[in-house]
Amino acid sequence: MTTTRLIVWRHGNTDWNAGHRVQGQTDVPLNDLGRQQAVDAAELLVRLRPDVLVSSDLVRASDTASALAALTGLSPSYDKRLRERYFGLWQGLTMTEVAEQRPEEHARWTAGADVIGGDVETLDDLGKRVAEGLQSAADLVPAGGTVVVATHGAAARSGVGHLLGWPREQLRSLRALQNCHWVELSYDGSRGWQLAAYNVGPFSERPVPPPV
């Protein structure tokens, strides 16, 4: 049976990742480490012979995608639905500052519940919009093709979970994606979407920055 492959790729490191600062939809660029991570990851992903390359329009994701575009000759397309979760009033704060200044909201986030207040996007809204973007990307390739999507940590996990139909409790069993690591999904007409691999990448194990 013909199987389509979808690679959901987290962007490289940024200074805000390194400082545990909440990025959300703030347009933070890659740092030197992040640009090198993108190049290293692209050297592996090119071996998958992707047919289509799609990216969030935020610069840290689009610059990550550009590393793969340089090796494949593909021209990435951009989809706002693949942006990171909108973290509202948290954006720009460190997680320590969020915990100190907005303790009730932080406690709900830590517990995996929707944040009440702070104008933070709900998990359902996040999962739905990112899953729609992922499905649209997959629809760009014929059956049996491979599409790579450059996106963000929280966006990737929620979007993948929604695409797979997982309940929120099951989704919490997945650890955060490391920078420039990816999820591999497969699709065929009889089994639908299936998880093939998670947190794949070229680097040795390192502490994981918050996926925000």
Side-chain angles (χ1 to χ4, degrees), residues 4-169:
T4 299
R5 179 164 52 187
L6 171 63
I7 304 296
V8 185
W9 185 22
R10 187 187 178 193
H11 62 78
N13 193 262
T14 71
D15 287 344
W16 282 28
N17 283 147
H20 302 284
R21 193 170 297 278
V22 181
Q23 295 179 118
Q25 294 187 9
T26 308
D27 209 6
V28 182
L30 298 177
N31 57 24
D32 288 343
L33 172 60
R35 285 187 286 273
Q36 186 59 55
Q37 288 174 333
V39 169
D40 292 343
E43 290 175 351
L44 295 181
L45 289 172
V46 72
R47 302 175 192 176
L48 302 181
R49 298 181 180 178
D51 301 291
V52 171
L53 179 57
V54 183
S55 176
S56 156
D57 64 336
L58 297 179
V59 68
R60 60 190 183 272
S62 63
D63 282 355
T64 298
S66 293
L68 183 56
L71 297 181
T72 60
L74 296 171
S75 297
S77 58
Y78 304 97
D79 189 334
K80 291 182 179 180
R81 292 175 296 181
L82 300 170
R83 287 184 177 187
E84 182 58 290
R85 184 180 186 182
Y86 181 64
F87 276 90
L89 297 178
W90 293 25
Q91 294 181 178
L93 300 177
T94 66
M95 273 302 177
T96 299
E97 290 169 340
V98 173
E100 291 172 349
Q101 298 175 25
R102 314 185 75 87
E104 293 183 3
E105 296 171 14
H106 184 267
R108 291 184 63 84
W109 177 79
T110 302
D114 280 325
V115 175
I116 306 300
D119 199 24
V120 178
E121 185 176 13
T122 68
L123 290 168
D124 283 346
D125 286 348
L126 172 66
K128 287 176 183 176
R129 72 164 168 85
V130 178
E132 288 174 358
L134 295 176
Q135 183 64 61
S136 293
D139 290 342
L140 295 174
V141 295
T146 295
V147 57
V148 175
V149 174
T151 183
H152 308 264
R157 187 161 59 170
S158 289
V160 164
H162 195 83
L163 206 59
L164 292 169
W166 287 5
R168 188 179 298 184
E169 294 75 20

